[in-house]
Amino acid sequence: MRISRTWLSDWVDFDDLSAEQFEELITTRVAEVDAVHVGGVGLQHAVAAHVVAADSHPTKSALTIATIAVGDAQVQVVCGAPNCRVGMVTAYVPPGGVVVKPGGEGAQEIVVREVAGVVSHGILVSEAELGIGPSHEGILELESASPGDRLSQHLGVVDTLLEIDNKSLTHRPDLWSHFGFAREIGAILGRPLKKNADAWSDAYPEGADAFRALGGAASNFSVKVAPESGCRRFTALELRQVEAKPSPDWMRRRLYSVGAGVRNLLVDLSNYVMHDIGQPNHAYDADLLEGHTIFVRGALPGEVFSGLDGEERSLVPEDIVIADGSGCVALGGVMGGAPTAVRAATTRLLLEAANFDPVRIRHTTKRHNLRTDASNRFEKSLSAYTVPLATQRFVELLRSVQPKVEIVGAPADDFPQRPAAVQVPLRCSYIRERLGTELSNERIEGILSALGFRDTGSGSVDVPYYRATRDISIEDDLVEEVGRINGYENVPEASPRIESRAARPRPLHELEYRLQDALVGMGFSEFYHYSFMNGGRAASLGYSTDAAVEVVNPVDQSERLIRTTLVPGMIEVLDKNARYRESMQLFELGRAYRTSPYAVLAELTGRPIVERPAAFEHRLLSLGYASGR
């Protein structure tokens, strides 16, 4: 996941930190940074230029020889863009500047060079070459810049982008957003947020009041969440007088910086809010919905879903379906449907913000091989109390661009079971003891308060809704929170005081160690083989597979069984190595598995297996000898 420093600055002030300090702060206090990228690298030297002449190349019709004015100076460049014309103001990178390489990886320095026999003093560039957008079909056209202006004044400063290791965020659904990281930065630096989006959450009374008041009167739409559907909460808000126009440049560039695509304002805004707040949401064209009730249920057997990616998928009852009066319109928590997608003519919107069971979402993504930014967040057990944040932020941003947007009624909200508040005991003495450092009660309580924990006044704290998602549940979790914010480098180094006792090996292990020593002394070499077995190969060697355990999701389809004997593996290893060695002496000490301990007796006595309890494990020794003689 990518985090933009410029984007984070909307939420919290940390301009005094250098890029290196910013990276270190996140790595040591929040989550592991995999890489640091420079966004908008071409803006470092780019300036606005006025095209005063544009002549066709004498031998290359696709090229234009342009004379550009940069302040008081005029220079000649060769341009291959189809939109290069007299009178336009565009972006110019002079020799010594850099642009993004084709393909988007790395930077390329610009030099004076000859192009098709004509000297070009720098280049005119597209937004893709500047590193601020995806378009590379033509050079960038500027409306408000004057020749000679530095483009960083008009298009934003060069950005620092952190690539965050997703594995370190698996237990932190609150960090899958810029606002989530802003919370952390504010707590670490002891600085207030410029705007606190948590005030919109109905985990708190003020947020619940604000959500109910959004839109005022009753909604035209209703929502029905079926029991056992896998949906924890579903809200819908109707908006009118919307326009699916192109998104503002600032929004397109931010989405591009974090690797998200752009389409139109309504779709882009849904994406932007997800990366901004962390709560996935989806916009339907309300005029394409059948009826005024949205149903959330399990899929019908064989029900077909037509996704926004153009693919049709056959669903199973465990999949979560969003449906209108005609059938499936979205695959809950994963992807919207093509029939109700926002189009150029959309003027009426239904905005969905919901919460789904993480296990159901994970199974759906694996079953259909379909991972999305939304499913990635729901799989991490996102809080249902985050839902209003997306609705409020969407409306706020949309109205800032399209002030005439009208909210039709209050949000329709089906919230079957509200998560219970989580409280954790707080003992400052225990935290000091576990960290091995002296911290005052005021410092400990101040750190927890900055992270959103609220003191109950009875020796415990209320866990904030965005951390009460299987993340914070025991007292030692508070120790970790205080330790990381205070800084692990501030924990004094000391050797642990533990009693050292020699391990006592079990009799079976002692026997195996003696066998290994003896066999190696006799010239045998030990090897380890996989625990899987090819049933056909085992049967060809005379070994029954009746008691073998079958793997549900095998790595290799030809090896669907867990081995009941070591012999097939031994034969395979001897066979593969026979071409290299004249003779071999090998042994393997390994585990084998059977569905029932009675299977062994059945083979010895010829009696049928009466009962088949869970599989059991036993240790075997396999010896192999091969010789060219």
Side-chain angles (χ1 to χ4, degrees):
M1 183 179 69
R2 282 194 174 185
I3 292 294
S4 158
R5 174 174 182 150
T6 302
W7 197 332
L8 280 172
S9 295
D10 283 358
W11 294 103
V12 65
D13 182 15
F14 59 104
D15 292 342
D16 53 321
L17 297 186
S18 67
E20 292 75 16
Q21 289 172 323
F22 173 46
E23 178 194 357
E24 183 180 4
L25 179 83
I26 298 300
T27 297
T28 59
R29 300 292 202 276
V30 187
E32 182 181 352
V33 175
D34 272 348
V36 181
H37 306 280
V38 178
V41 64
L43 292 173
Q44 296 180 64
H45 303 94
V47 295
H50 179 226
V51 180
V52 296
D55 302 313
S56 297
H57 192 281
T59 60
K60 300 286 186 179
S61 59
L63 297 178
T64 300
I65 302 173
T67 301
I68 60 172
V70 183
D72 297 330
Q74 290 191 356
V75 294
Q76 175 181 276
V77 295
V78 179
C79 180
N83 64 331
C84 181
R85 64 188 185 277
V86 173
M88 72 181 300
V89 178
T90 185
Y92 167 65
V93 177
V98 294
V99 296
V100 177
K101 287 182 179 179
E105 294 298 328
Q108 173 181 322
E109 184 177 356
I110 300 303
V111 297
V112 177
R113 67 189 186 99
E114 192 175 283
V115 180
V118 179
V119 176
S120 182
H121 298 268
I123 62 171
L124 304 180
V125 293
S126 65
E127 66 175 10
E129 290 168 308
L130 288 173
I132 60 173
S135 176
H136 53 77
E137 296 174 354
I139 55 177
L140 186 65
E141 299 196 38
L142 302 170
E143 296 181 358
S144 59
S146 300
D149 286 353
R150 298 190 68 85
L151 292 195
S152 58
Q153 299 173 358
H154 297 271
L155 304 179
V157 297
V158 178
D159 200 2
T160 300
L161 303 170
L162 300 187
E163 192 86 38
I164 306 296
D165 175 27
N166 287 353
K167 296 189 295 298
S168 64
L169 303 180
T170 298
H171 67 299
R172 293 290 304 272
D174 61 301
L175 289 183
W176 285 72
S177 68
H178 283 79
F179 176 58
F181 271 86
R183 281 196 201 103
E184 297 285 302
I185 293 171
I188 296 166
L189 299 178
R191 298 175 185 177
L193 295 174
K194 295 179 180 179
K195 176 189 292 186
N196 185 12
D198 288 324
W200 285 329
S201 173
D202 56 354
Y204 310 119
E206 59 271 23
D209 293 341
F211 193 52
R212 282 192 296 268
L214 187 63
S219 172
N220 288 331
F221 282 87
S222 61
V223 173
K224 292 185 178 179
V225 176
E228 309 299 326
S229 65
C231 179
R232 296 171 167 178
R233 183 180 191 179
F234 194 95
T235 68
L237 180 69
E238 183 183 356
L239 301 167
R240 289 182 182 174
Q241 298 188 44
V242 301
E243 296 180 84
K245 291 184 174 181
S247 300
D249 287 341
W250 64 266
M251 185 180 296
R252 295 174 64 253
R253 287 166 189 151
R254 285 194 174 179
L255 288 171
Y256 175 75
S257 72
V258 296
V262 293
R263 185 179 168 192
N264 60 56
L265 175 61
L266 304 179
V267 175
D268 294 350
L269 185 53
S270 174
N271 253 334
Y272 185 90
V273 167
M274 177 177 63
H275 287 280
D276 192 37
I277 292 294
Q279 169 65 45
N281 57 96
H282 181 65
Y284 302 87
D285 186 320
D287 289 324
L288 299 178
L289 291 168
E290 187 72 30
H292 288 83
T293 302
I294 302 298
F295 304 92
V296 188
R297 55 172 172 78
L300 305 175
E303 187 169 11
V304 175
F305 165 65
S306 299
L308 288 171
D309 59 355
E311 298 288 332
E312 286 196 349
R313 295 174 174 84
S314 182
L315 306 181
V316 300
E318 193 186 14
D319 294 324
I320 304 170
V321 159
I322 315 302
D324 64 0
S326 63
C328 176
V329 295
L331 185 58
V334 182
M335 180 180 285
T340 56
V342 169
R343 51 193 173 139
T346 298
T347 60
R348 198 162 66 97
L349 202 70
L350 189 71
L351 177 65
E352 165 202 320
N355 187 270
F356 302 97
D357 177 76
V359 176
R360 292 276 288 268
I361 297 299
R362 175 64 173 163
H363 289 171
T364 292
T365 60
K366 291 184 68 176
R367 183 164 41 249
H368 299 291
N369 191 26
L370 180 62
R371 300 292 297 277
T372 63
D373 285 335
S375 68
N376 281 340
R377 286 161 173 79
F378 285 125
E379 285 178 20
K380 308 302 182 289
S381 195
L382 196 65
S383 171
Y385 288 120
T386 307
V387 165
L389 274 64
T391 305
Q392 297 275 20
R393 186 64 168 154
F394 188 99
V395 171
E396 179 183 67
L397 290 171
L398 182 58
R399 280 180 161 170
S400 71
V401 181
Q402 297 181 1
K404 294 182 180 180
V405 167
E406 177 187 350
I407 299 176
V408 184
D413 185 10
D414 194 344
F415 198 172
Q417 187 173 359
R418 293 177 176 268
V422 176
Q423 290 187 350
V424 176
L426 171 62
R427 291 178 295 160
C428 294
S429 59
Y430 180 75
I431 292 176
R432 283 191 288 269
E433 176 188 338
R434 297 293 285 169
L435 289 177
T437 186
E438 286 300 321
L439 289 172
S440 67
N441 290 4
E442 291 75 16
R443 172 61 175 159
I444 293 172
E445 292 164 359
I447 289 174
L448 294 175
S449 176
L451 290 171
F453 295 86
R454 297 187 178 187
D455 191 347
T456 64
S458 57
S460 64
V461 291
D462 284 324
V463 177
Y465 73 94
Y466 48 86
R467 302 295 301 276
T469 55
R470 304 184 302 182
D471 178 16
I472 303 292
S473 59
I474 60 175
E475 195 170 5
D476 283 282
D477 291 331
L478 300 182
V479 175
E480 181 182 357
E481 294 301 297
V482 172
R484 70 182 180 86
I485 298 299
N486 188 60
Y488 291 125
E489 70 276 11
N490 295 321
V491 175
E493 297 181 10
S495 299
R497 300 180 65 180
I498 57 175
E499 184 178 354
S500 178
R501 295 181 180 178
R504 290 187 176 182
R506 294 163 55 192
L508 175 60
H509 291 161
E510 288 186 336
L511 172 63
E512 291 179 356
Y513 297 152
R514 290 170 58 197
L515 280 169
Q516 287 171 313
D517 290 343
L519 290 169
V520 169
M522 295 167 63
F524 282 81
S525 297
E526 185 176 12
F527 74 92
Y528 297 91
H529 207 268
Y530 295 113
S531 295
F532 307 117
M533 181 174 71
N534 184 307
R537 184 182 301 129
S540 70
L541 294 171
Y543 289 91
S544 171
T545 59
D546 292 344
V549 178
E550 185 172 351
V551 181
V552 175
N553 189 20
V555 176
D556 185 342
Q557 293 295 329
S558 66
E559 297 190 344
R560 302 184 62 88
L561 304 179
I562 299 179
R563 63 185 181 183
T564 59
T565 171
L566 308 186
V567 174
M570 173 65 75
I571 297 292
E572 180 184 353
V573 172
L574 291 171
D575 184 53
K576 285 183 177 179
N577 286 277
R579 71 188 73 175
Y580 306 116
R581 307 195 54 161
E582 182 67 22
S583 63
M584 288 168 284
Q585 293 179 194
L586 305 176
F587 77 94
E588 180 184 13
L589 269 167
R591 297 176 176 87
Y593 305 84
R594 292 176 180 268
T595 56
S596 166
Y598 301 101
V600 178
L601 294 176
E603 289 183 2
L604 294 175
T605 65
R607 298 174 185 170
I609 302 174
V610 178
E611 55 181 305
R612 301 172 69 90
F616 85 108
E617 170 189 299
H618 55 281
R619 301 281 288 174
L620 296 174
L621 169 65
S622 171
L623 299 174
Y625 175 78
S627 171
R629 300 165 61 187

